[in-house]
Amino acid sequence: MDAGAEPCSDVASFLYLKSAFLAIEPAHFLISLARQAGGGSITTKVQTFILEDCIKDIAGKGTELNHKHIKNILQKLIIAVESTSDIVVEDLYEKFAHYLTIQLDDQLLEENNRIYKQITFLLSLGQKCSGALDLIVPLQCSLNMLEGDTGCALWPSSLFLSEFILSYQEVFSKKFCFEIGSGVGLVGIALLHVGASRVVLTDGDTSTLANMKSNIELNRLDLPSEKVECRHLPWESASKRELQDYGPEIILGADVIYDPHCIPHLVRVLSALSSPGADCCGPTQDKLLRSKDEEAAPVAYIATVIRNQKTFDYFLRVAAESSLSVLDITERMKPMILLPYMLSYDRSSVHLLKVSFLCN
């Protein structure tokens, strides 16, 4: 499958701009998309579009951090237009002046550092999804990616894994899917969209779990507990029996290979969840049945950015010691590019791993 993006037409360029604005993309990327929509300059038409179609859509839904972000965007947008001697529409100045008058509580910003984002998967532009409606996912996320709030941040691997799920819907439809380290819950929402029969989302951090549950509610996924669950699962204390009792068909994880101290616990969890039971490794006469059994055996899909090669090699070694096969299927199963407007998202840095239990 060709995962290349469609050419950016005039209509698509405005769609990209709005989608990027609602996804809270950095200011310099938004300005780049604004210029693209205007054919090289930020025209009055583009400025009016930002005021009427972008800001209005997020201003009433966002947090104080969203107000701060919008003020920053408006300021940089005005500077960008003025720097090329183009006309700045009067309403843009007025909107910026309005946001300057809004008093933000610094203490409240520090206590609640969540920002509202809307991630739009452009399925309508996907080559495998002719006639499909775009999937719009509102999320409360953290901008504090490296200071103790990592579970509430939106990481590249979760975007990649969600694109993968939406690109290969037949793999996950009518399957019981179990995610470890679910973070903001984006992957789980993608799984429910493609028709997974049951989705269990887990995380070891209680504040992350609370935010995840809020995001499920934010997406109006008022589903019965047998359809979707959010559970507290610390890897280091989860028992093998507890994990095996879940019996999922597919396990998923995004950016879970990051800390060498956590890797033995991660591998133990993966091993317990993906173990098909004693029958798989039974007597030789059963081997003829394995081709069918193998299809039903649990498999894990892990999306990861290899930030430290030694840590990743350690994961591979511990996995092999636990009879887990780890295959890099990034090139073989490329997802469609469903987030072409997210210029901050470097999908080329993400590896997709298929993890399964080895039967000797």
Side-chain angles (χ1 to χ4, degrees):
M1 176 183 64
D2 184 3
E6 291 289 322
C8 190
S9 66
D10 185 60
V11 173
S13 65
F14 279 89
L15 175 60
Y16 287 8
L17 177 57
K18 181 175 181 177
S19 300
F21 198 99
L22 298 180
I24 316 298
E25 279 287 270
H28 63 288
F29 289 134
L30 290 174
I31 289 170
S32 175
L33 289 170
R35 287 198 176 103
Q36 184 173 306
S41 63
I42 305 175
T43 62
T44 55
K45 178 183 177 182
V46 172
Q47 295 171 53
T48 303
F49 177 80
I50 290 172
L51 285 167
E52 296 182 356
D53 288 77
C54 300
I55 292 177
K56 282 184 180 179
D57 266 25
I58 201 166
K61 304 173 184 176
T63 65
E64 289 204 336
L65 267 180
N66 285 96
H67 294 317
K68 186 177 180 180
H69 176 76
I70 291 172
K71 181 175 72 173
N72 178 51
I73 292 298
L74 289 171
Q75 181 182 28
K76 293 186 176 180
L77 187 64
I78 290 169
I79 292 171
V81 177
E82 289 179 338
S83 69
T84 56
S85 301
D86 287 320
I87 298 172
V88 179
V89 298
E90 193 61 33
D91 287 349
L92 200 62
Y93 285 124
E94 290 179 6
K95 183 64 71 174
F96 179 54
H98 165 71
Y99 276 94
L100 282 176
T101 63
I102 298 176
Q103 297 296 317
L104 299 178
D105 188 326
D106 290 336
Q107 184 176 352
L108 188 60
L109 283 171
E110 187 174 339
E111 291 173 355
N112 181 19
N113 65 341
R114 298 288 186 272
I115 194 166
Y116 175 91
K117 294 186 176 188
Q118 186 171 291
I119 309 302
T120 305
F121 292 94
L122 299 178
L123 290 163
S124 59
L125 302 181
Q127 292 153 325
K128 282 183 68 179
C129 305
S130 178
L133 297 175
D134 296 336
L135 172 61
I136 300 172
V137 183
L139 296 170
Q140 292 278 0
C141 302
S142 171
L143 294 180
N144 201 359
M145 296 182 77
L146 299 173
E147 297 179 19
D149 205 14
T150 56
C152 295
L154 190 58
W155 295 90
S157 293
S158 64
L159 296 171
F160 188 93
L161 194 54
S162 299
E163 284 186 311
F164 174 68
I165 292 164
L166 295 168
S167 299
Y168 296 94
Q169 300 189 18
E170 67 281 0
V171 174
F172 304 95
S173 177
K174 300 179 182 179
K175 296 287 175 51
F176 170 20
C177 300
F178 187 104
E179 187 187 11
I180 55 175
S182 301
V184 297
L186 177 62
V187 169
I189 293 165
L191 288 167
L192 291 165
H193 180 78
V194 303
S197 60
R198 182 185 175 197
V199 176
V200 175
L201 306 178
T202 68
D203 207 279
D205 180 74
T206 53
S207 64
T208 299
L209 194 67
N211 187 66
M212 184 200 310
K213 289 178 180 178
S214 295
N215 282 333
I216 296 295
E217 294 170 6
L218 190 61
N219 283 271
R220 299 178 182 176
L221 296 175
D222 187 18
L223 300 169
S225 58
E226 60 267 22
K227 180 75 173 179
V228 58
E229 299 174 73
C230 300
R231 293 198 175 187
H232 185 233
L233 185 72
W235 299 344
E236 65 276 8
S237 59
S239 71
K240 184 177 181 179
R241 178 62 181 271
E242 174 193 2
L243 294 167
Q244 288 181 328
D245 282 348
Y246 282 110
E249 294 169 276
I250 298 177
I251 305 109
L252 302 107
D255 259 325
V256 291
I257 307 169
Y258 57 90
D259 185 348
H261 295 98
C262 296
I263 282 177
H265 303 301
L266 168 63
V267 170
R268 187 178 63 83
V269 168
L270 286 173
S271 181
L273 288 170
S274 60
S275 173
D279 290 343
C280 172
C281 301
T284 305
Q285 56 263 35
D286 292 338
K287 288 184 179 180
L288 291 175
L289 302 176
R290 288 185 196 168
S291 57
K292 290 184 179 180
D293 290 346
E294 199 172 38
E295 292 179 4
V299 62
Y301 294 104
I302 307 294
T304 189
V305 175
I306 302 176
R307 298 180 177 86
N308 185 302
Q309 189 63 48
K310 287 184 178 179
T311 300
F312 184 68
D313 290 342
Y314 178 45
F315 166 75
L316 294 177
R317 186 167 67 252
V318 176
E321 292 169 354
S322 299
S323 297
L324 291 177
S325 164
V326 181
L327 298 175
D328 190 326
I329 60 169
T330 313
E331 293 301 318
R332 194 180 354 146
M333 297 190 73
K334 288 183 177 180
M336 293 182 291
I337 296 176
L338 302 177
L339 303 167
Y341 60 87
M342 291 191 74
L343 304 183
S344 65
Y345 161 40
D346 180 14
R347 60 179 45 78
S348 67
S349 67
V350 184
H351 292 256
L352 182 64
L353 309 176
K354 183 178 180 180
V355 182
S356 55
F357 198 82
L358 283 170
C359 292
N360 297 317

